[in-house]
Amino acid sequence: MKRTKELLTDTFWELLEEKAYSKITVNDIVSRCDVNRNTFYYHFQDIPSLMINSIEKWADGIIKEYAISEKSVNCLSYMAQECTKRKKAMLHLFRSVEKEKLLSNMNEIAYHIICTYANEMKEKRNISEQDKETLIQCYKCFFVGSLLEWLERDATFDLGKFYEDAYRMLSNLRK
């Protein structure tokens, strides 16, 4: 059961790398998976429910894998790497009616990863709760705003390098 659901999800991501979200059909998915339509409908109500499940599963994986980091730039770089791995899929979702769901989940990913980093910084550097909350909001807004810009520009610049350059520049300003 679980393997079939994962196969359907993985196939959805593959198809999303190949074509627009609005062009993906249940038939495309079941044909590639070599399962029948009833199997699809056993696991998912429709393509939008598959999309939501796929994004949430992907987001959970990113949060679990990258939540702990010594440097704030690493938090952003890891998220950039994951977005870049799925660049075409991200662009297809961004250009679809599901744009808001994508952005909402990216906001959630950023929040969870940056919260973990900020909590560590609070303990290691003894920063106040208010400074911790400010840090979380700044990094989250920076990540989501930059991601939005990256998607609006058709992912034509290196998002990870952008974060590293911005971090370096901001670090130099503090000196």
Side-chain angles (χ1 to χ4, degrees):
M1 265 325 163
K2 186 177 178 184
R3 283 186 26 209
T4 303
K5 189 172 185 176
E6 288 175 6
L7 177 62
L8 293 166
T9 301
D10 291 345
T11 300
F12 171 74
W13 281 114
E14 288 172 14
L15 288 166
L16 202 51
E17 287 288 330
E18 297 169 16
K19 58 183 166 179
Y21 173 78
S22 62
K23 303 285 185 202
I24 297 172
T25 66
V26 171
N27 196 46
D28 292 336
I29 295 166
V30 298
S31 294
R32 190 169 289 190
C33 291
D34 199 27
V35 298
N36 66 41
R37 291 176 69 83
N38 290 337
T39 301
F40 176 89
Y41 289 112
Y42 175 80
H43 293 284
F44 301 103
Q45 182 179 352
D46 51 20
I47 299 267
S49 67
L50 169 61
M51 182 275 309
I52 290 167
N53 180 272
S54 299
I55 291 175
E56 288 174 352
K57 182 180 170 209
W58 178 59
D60 288 345
I62 293 172
I63 291 166
K64 286 177 186 155
E65 188 169 349
Y66 297 117
I68 299 173
S69 178
E70 290 295 314
K71 291 179 167 179
S72 56
V73 69
N74 290 348
C75 294
L76 300 176
S77 294
Y78 296 146
M79 291 185 282
Q81 288 171 18
E82 292 301 320
C83 291
T84 301
K85 283 180 192 174
R86 293 212 162 132
K87 181 165 93 171
K88 287 181 183 177
M90 298 278 292
L91 285 167
H92 284 139
L93 286 171
F94 182 71
R95 294 177 186 138
S96 77
V97 296
E98 302 299 346
K99 176 181 181 175
E100 292 305 315
K101 185 64 182 167
L102 171 68
L103 295 177
S104 172
N105 274 273
M106 296 314 297
N107 195 40
E108 184 180 323
I109 291 169
Y111 179 78
H112 285 290
I113 291 174
I114 294 164
C115 265
T116 302
Y117 169 75
N119 286 331
E120 284 183 25
M121 288 303 99
K122 184 176 189 294
E123 289 179 28
K124 288 181 180 178
R125 296 196 181 153
N126 200 26
I127 63 173
S128 70
E129 186 66 26
Q130 182 178 352
D131 286 350
K132 180 189 97 169
E133 291 304 317
T134 301
L135 178 71
I136 291 168
Q137 291 306 313
C138 285
Y139 275 100
K140 184 177 68 105
C141 291
F142 178 66
F143 172 74
V144 176
S146 302
L147 177 68
L148 186 58
E149 182 71 16
W150 181 69
L151 291 167
E152 286 175 351
R153 290 188 185 189
D154 294 326
T156 55
F157 62 90
D158 184 333
L159 189 59
K161 184 174 179 343
F162 173 80
Y163 291 132
E164 290 167 14
D165 290 347
Y167 180 79
R168 183 180 26 73
M169 183 186 73
L170 292 170
S171 293
N172 287 337
L173 289 174
R174 289 187 291 188
K175 293 177 182 177

